[in-house]
Amino acid sequence: DAEDWFCECPPLYTGRLCQLSACQRGPCSHGATCIPKLQLEAICLCPYGRQGLLCDQTINITHARFSGTDEFGYTSFVAYTSIPSLSFFYEFKLRFTIANISSAVRDNLILFAGQKGQGNDGDDFLVLGLRSGRVVHRFNLGSGIATIVSDRLNYNISIHTVTFGRSKRTGWLKVDGQRNRTGYSPGPLVGLNVFNQLFVGGYNEFTPELLPLGSRFRQGFQGCIFSIQFRIRKDGKFQALGQPAGYPAFGRSVGQCGVTPCVHVRCMNGGTCVDSGSSVYCQCLSGWKGALCTETVSVCDPEHSPPPLCSHGSTCIPLPNGYTCQCPLGTAGLHCEKAVTITDPFFSTNQSSWMSFPPMSIKHRTVVELQFQPLSPDGILVYSAQHLGARAGDFFCLSLTSGFVQLRYNLGGGTHVLQSTRTVDLHGRTWHVVKTGRTGHQGFLSLDNEEVRENRTERMTTLDVATDIFVGGVSTLSFVSPEATEREPMSFTGGLRELKINGRELELTETGAIGGTNIGDWDGTACGYKVCHNGGQCRATGADSFICICPSLWTGSLCNQSVSCVNNNCRHGSICAPSTVTSYSCICPLGWGGTHCDTKVSTDSFRFVGNSHIKYRDQRFNTRNLKYTQISFSVYASSSDGLIVWMGMAEHEDEDYLAVGLEEGNLKIAVNLGERLALPITFKNLSLCCRKWHDVSLNLNRTVIQVFLNNKEILFEDSDPFERYVALNFGGVAYFGGFEIYRNVSVVTSGIFSKGLEGSIRNVFLFGDGNPVLFLKNGEGFNVFEGTE
């Protein structure tokens, strides 16, 4: 809306107004915010507990020092989470010292908790700040702003003491030895909405325009803030912020009072050290560059002498001393000069590793399965979001946090958090198995078969993500949603294997991924978890060669050939399936039969055996009126569950479909014209049993569905009276009996049907055509037989 806006930047640009060239491959470590200094040089704004040029040094903070707003527009701040309810009463007390500059008391934020933006997002807040030499306490309960202002500060006092609070509509403020001040909130409301985070010294948003009206201070705090305590009952004890007490959740550019990192940085050639809390960098004179102003030309410039040695395709990154080469997939080494074959990828936090895969359809259902062996307690395993940036929108993030496996996702109505009940082994001895995800808004997480489920409910049920799927890290860590990880985001350290998303396995190799950086191989050999198939044992015979020791029923270089199928006689593109060590059977394509699929089949009745299918292409699809769909057929069921027909492409979960099948012997119908607005219908009292032929007919007129069973109407219903979608865009494809052999029916149908049909189908008519469909002419399939049984 008018008050809550941001710029969505194109590639290669960042900043509030997209005015900065993007920091795509900066050297900043441990989740630091990377700011471009020059085209190939970066400045690192350090997360809480880190300091130095690259934020690679730890710092113990007892009295936090804040540097205000830096030249890039970012404030130093500390954020605390898990604040108990502040709804009807709160009281805070704290102490602070002011930096010896006039701007430190002009317009500076001390403490803030509240909702971002206005309108639908709300505007409740509480804030403490400095304005024109006075301390200001403001709050808004939703019906107007209360303001309480102190007398001017006495600058002869070195440490100032502030106590402020609120009970329903009444607020108060006491500063140093001044008299207590009170104020009242206008309007009838008496409760303050609960907030997830409280910020001290500044705020994680780039610009104060993203804070509620009345809470905005132009600058962050300049000085030290300490001894912060609070209580939420008048008779309660004061306690320290944070979980555990006294420990912030995250922060940026916060130093220790009385300590400056510039002591350890020597800027050369007239350069000036800039101290921004714990973040530090050199401001160079004209003609000089480099982290310490020692370079006239960047070490990564081709004209530099000597030129950088990064191999072709790698990226040169300047460091305070020299440079490093960021290696693309398939390369490794100091200068990315070595070729690497990745069978099981190895990721490293220190090298900001990551892999990426194309976006997948995970809108209604997201199930992630993987095995991993960690060597450090934190790191991102899987991440995808609506946007790659701090304003990420919806996101899905699986990560390690202090050794616990944590799932966080946001569907637009708040962040869901699920965490494993125990920690993982960090010594490289165990391949842990995780299965996690969400169906609608309900999440689940299983670590080594110990499951955690969520009881939370909300209106939002769809996950709208559009970025690549990142594995083991993210290409730009500072672009990860702040809510996606408990601490600052960082890459995973350890090995990953067998990653599946909604049943589809991702190929974790240099050729299977579409992007990645600094990925090694888990054991440094050509052997991997699934290099040898069917339980074969892999043995490395060199740096990039191996042999497979196959079990008795399999042979071939990868153990992927059945011993009994080596010299098979299966004909016409049929598939050889081993029966025993010495025998096999042939799975015939549609239209062929016999022991070796060498006999032509001509039939009007098609029998399916559970792993059969016919894929039919409607030759008249381009002339069909998709707002009026009709299909009729006869079915003979031999089992109580199975998919009979699926009209739809069946490639992505959001695609339109009209489906008919069996569930516990009863007829089941499912329709999706868009957004899955209608739930599947199961006719509990209509059984297609007893090995008899039944006639089924469906008419779909816009959103009205009509179903006939044995010429008797059993359903006449409007699936969506609002008519948000009215056409069945089935792509001219219909599946009968199941899907391709390598595709699981339950996965493809998102659990609507559990397996393929066992039974027969005949007399299929589409769109009221006068003649039945010609499967043998316009269809393809496997394992389909004649007749009934």
Side-chain angles (χ1 to χ4, degrees):
D1 57 30
E3 290 293 338
D4 189 2
W5 59 270
F6 67 99
C7 296
E8 189 171 283
C9 300
L12 304 181
Y13 291 92
T14 188
R16 180 190 166 199
L17 303 175
C18 305
Q19 76 275 28
L20 303 171
S21 58
C23 202
Q24 292 281 14
R25 296 182 176 87
C28 305
S29 61
H30 297 93
T33 301
C34 185
I35 301 293
K37 184 181 179 186
L38 296 172
Q39 184 179 2
L40 292 172
E41 292 184 11
I43 289 169
C44 304
L45 304 183
C46 299
Y48 186 86
R50 292 279 170 176
Q51 69 173 359
L53 289 166
L54 299 179
C55 305
D56 53 354
Q57 304 166 16
T58 58
I59 177 175
N60 184 32
I61 300 173
T62 56
H63 290 59
R65 179 170 66 91
F66 302 89
S67 56
T69 306
D70 60 30
E71 63 176 294
F72 312 105
Y74 292 92
T75 61
S76 59
F77 74 93
V78 169
Y80 295 88
T81 57
S82 304
I83 306 170
S85 173
L86 306 173
S87 183
F88 298 109
F89 181 93
Y90 64 77
E91 188 169 42
F92 291 81
K93 59 182 181 180
L94 56 87
R95 295 192 290 170
F96 67 84
T97 62
I98 301 170
N100 190 23
I101 47 178
S102 61
S103 65
V105 293
R106 192 175 297 157
D107 198 0
N108 305 79
L109 178 68
I110 297 176
L111 180 148
F112 168 84
Q115 298 169 335
K116 293 184 286 185
Q118 289 76 46
N120 294 333
D121 292 323
D123 51 11
D124 285 19
F125 70 83
L126 68 94
V127 71
L128 186 76
L130 289 169
R131 184 163 286 153
S132 302
R134 303 170 188 266
V135 178
V136 179
H137 171 210
R138 281 182 167 172
F139 58 90
N140 187 346
L141 309 180
S143 57
I145 299 168
T147 303
I148 309 163
V149 184
S150 76
D151 294 333
R152 287 186 178 275
L153 291 174
N154 181 353
Y155 299 134
N156 292 322
I157 299 175
S158 59
I159 300 178
H160 300 279
T161 303
V162 177
T163 301
F164 70 100
R166 179 192 64 83
S167 178
K168 295 185 178 177
R169 294 177 56 239
T170 304
W172 58 87
L173 170 67
K174 181 171 175 58
V175 178
D176 297 329
Q178 301 176 14
R179 65 184 177 89
N180 191 53
R181 302 267 183 170
T182 58
Y184 302 92
S185 170
L189 299 179
V190 296
L192 188 72
N193 281 352
V194 177
F195 312 120
N196 291 327
Q197 296 172 334
L198 182 140
F199 294 87
V200 175
Y203 195 67
N204 62 342
E205 294 289 354
F206 180 86
T207 169
E209 278 77 8
L210 294 175
L211 301 187
L213 282 170
S215 69
R216 301 172 184 174
F217 288 82
R218 293 183 180 277
Q219 302 289 325
F221 185 78
Q222 294 168 291
C224 303
I225 304 175
F226 47 94
S227 302
I228 307 175
Q229 293 183 302
F230 78 105
R231 61 183 178 181
I232 56 174
R233 296 197 318 272
K234 192 171 184 178
D235 59 348
K237 290 185 178 181
F238 280 95
Q239 56 183 308
L241 291 167
Q243 291 289 340
Y247 287 87
F250 57 94
R252 178 177 58 223
S253 297
V254 177
Q256 168 70 1
C257 205
V259 176
T260 171
C262 279
V263 173
H264 306 290
V265 177
R266 185 182 176 191
C267 303
M268 307 296 290
N269 300 302
T272 305
C273 181
V274 178
D275 169 13
S276 183
S278 61
S279 307
V280 61
Y281 58 94
C282 289
Q283 200 73 273
C284 303
L285 294 178
S286 178
W288 295 95
K289 56 183 179 179
L292 301 175
C293 306
T294 56
E295 299 290 331
T296 53
V297 178
S298 170
V299 291
C300 285
D301 290 345
E303 61 270 22
H304 187 274
S305 181
L309 299 176
C310 296
S311 298
H312 181 68
S314 61
T315 304
C316 179
I317 305 295
L319 297 175
N321 296 301
Y323 61 91
T324 185
C325 301
Q326 235 174 38
C327 302
L329 287 173
T331 65
L334 185 62
H335 302 116
C336 310
E337 73 282 2
K338 299 176 184 176
V340 172
T341 300
I342 301 170
T343 50
D344 294 325
F346 175 77
F347 300 82
S348 169
T349 298
N350 293 333
Q351 293 186 305
S352 298
S353 304
W354 59 274
M355 296 177 88
S356 65
F357 296 84
M360 290 176 61
S361 182
I362 54 176
K363 188 171 186 176
H364 301 282
R365 173 176 168 270
T366 313
V367 179
V368 175
E369 303 168 79
L370 67 99
Q371 297 185 31
F372 70 100
Q373 192 166 143
L375 297 176
S376 69
D378 297 275
I380 292 173
L381 295 167
V382 179
Y383 179 80
S384 185
Q386 199 167 357
H387 308 282
L388 191 58
R391 301 281 299 213
D394 289 11
F395 65 79
F396 181 96
C397 184
L398 178 66
S399 65
L400 278 179
T401 300
S402 302
F404 291 93
V405 178
Q406 194 174 88
L407 171 67
R408 287 174 172 251
Y409 61 93
N410 192 321
L411 310 180
T415 301
H416 299 239
V417 181
L418 287 86
Q419 183 168 293
S420 62
T421 56
R422 60 183 182 85
T423 58
V424 296
D425 173 46
L426 300 175
H427 301 289
R429 298 172 300 196
T430 306
W431 282 100
H432 294 284
V433 179
V434 169
K435 183 173 182 179
T436 186
R438 32 73 61 182
T439 301
H441 56 70
Q442 295 291 341
F444 64 92
L445 170 66
S446 167
L447 173 64
D448 300 330
N449 295 319
E450 289 186 19
E451 188 168 15
V452 177
R453 285 196 172 267
E454 185 185 39
N455 295 322
R456 171 178 166 182
T457 60
E458 66 166 85
R459 289 193 310 169
M460 307 292 187
T461 59
T462 57
L463 176 68
D464 294 314
V465 293
T467 68
D468 290 346
I469 295 172
F470 290 95
V471 176
V474 178
S475 57
T476 308
L477 287 168
S478 59
F479 284 177
V480 173
S481 170
E483 299 174 8
T485 55
E486 189 169 299
R487 295 190 174 88
E488 296 294 338
M490 60 180 66
S491 296
F492 170 68
T493 297
L496 278 175
R497 68 187 192 189
E498 200 176 16
L499 170 60
K500 297 179 182 178
I501 298 180
N502 285 0
R504 175 184 161 193
E505 186 165 356
L506 302 187
E507 187 183 336
L508 300 175
T509 68
E510 70 276 15
T511 56
I514 59 172
T517 292
N518 293 340
I519 304 295
D521 186 72
W522 172 248
D523 62 2
T525 73
C527 283
Y529 180 57
K530 286 195 170 181
V531 166
C532 299
H533 298 205
N534 299 301
Q537 298 297 312
C538 182
R539 291 187 182 176
T541 56
D544 55 359
S545 58
F546 66 93
I547 59 171
C548 291
I549 310 300
C550 300
S552 58
L553 297 179
W554 298 93
T555 186
S557 60
L558 301 178
C559 304
N560 56 353
Q561 298 177 23
S562 166
V563 169
S564 55
C565 283
V566 171
N567 296 310
N568 72 81
N569 291 316
C570 295
R571 307 286 300 279
H572 298 106
S574 56
I575 300 171
C576 179
S579 301
T580 65
V581 178
T582 57
S583 65
Y584 63 89
S585 60
C586 300
I587 301 176
C588 302
L590 184 65
W592 294 93
T595 304
H596 298 110
C597 304
D598 51 2
T599 304
K600 274 203 169 189
V601 172
S602 178
T603 180
D604 295 326
S605 179
F606 297 88
R607 180 163 60 92
F608 302 82
V609 293
N611 63 343
S612 318
H613 83 282
I614 295 176
K615 182 179 182 180
Y616 175 77
R617 296 188 181 276
D618 182 10
Q619 300 300 303
R620 298 177 57 191
F621 170 67
N622 292 330
T623 66
R624 304 293 195 190
N625 183 348
L626 301 182
K627 295 179 183 178
Y628 304 94
T629 305
Q630 184 180 37
I631 182 172
S632 62
F633 54 85
S634 298
V635 61
Y636 175 102
S638 303
S639 68
S640 59
D641 293 274
L643 172 67
I644 300 172
V645 59
W646 182 281
M647 289 184 68
M649 299 289 286
E651 293 176 357
H652 305 290
E653 66 170 8
D654 283 332
E655 292 173 337
D656 290 8
Y657 57 76
L658 170 62
V660 185
L662 297 173
E663 185 175 276
E664 297 180 355
N666 299 308
L667 188 67
K668 186 175 185 179
I669 309 289
V671 180
N672 177 36
L673 304 181
E675 298 295 330
R676 295 194 182 184
L677 297 173
L679 294 173
I681 301 171
T682 303
F683 299 90
K684 295 290 187 182
N685 57 345
L686 294 175
S687 175
L688 275 67
C689 70
C690 310
R691 299 177 183 268
K692 294 180 180 179
W693 284 101
H694 297 273
D695 298 323
V696 179
S697 179
L698 287 85
N699 299 319
L700 186 62
N701 185 345
R702 298 174 70 88
T703 59
V704 177
I705 184 168
Q706 187 179 24
V707 181
F708 294 88
L709 179 61
N710 297 324
N711 297 316
K712 180 182 177 181
E713 184 181 79
I714 60 173
L715 179 69
F716 186 91
E717 182 177 294
D718 195 339
S719 61
D720 179 24
F722 297 101
E723 292 198 341
R724 282 162 282 195
Y725 303 92
V726 297
L728 180 71
N729 298 299
F730 73 105
V733 174
Y735 285 90
F736 292 85
F739 300 102
E740 290 85 352
I741 291 174
Y742 59 88
R743 301 175 75 193
N744 183 284
V745 171
S746 179
V747 171
V748 176
T749 67
S750 298
I752 298 174
F753 297 102
S754 60
K755 61 180 184 178
L757 175 68
E758 293 178 42
S760 301
I761 299 173
R762 70 185 182 193
N763 299 335
V764 179
F765 291 85
L766 285 177
F767 292 90
D769 293 347
N771 298 312
V773 299
L774 300 175
F775 285 124
L776 297 178
K777 182 178 179 182
N778 299 317
E780 59 187 58
F782 273 98
N783 226 22
V784 181
F785 299 88
E786 294 182 84
T788 51
E789 289 178 281

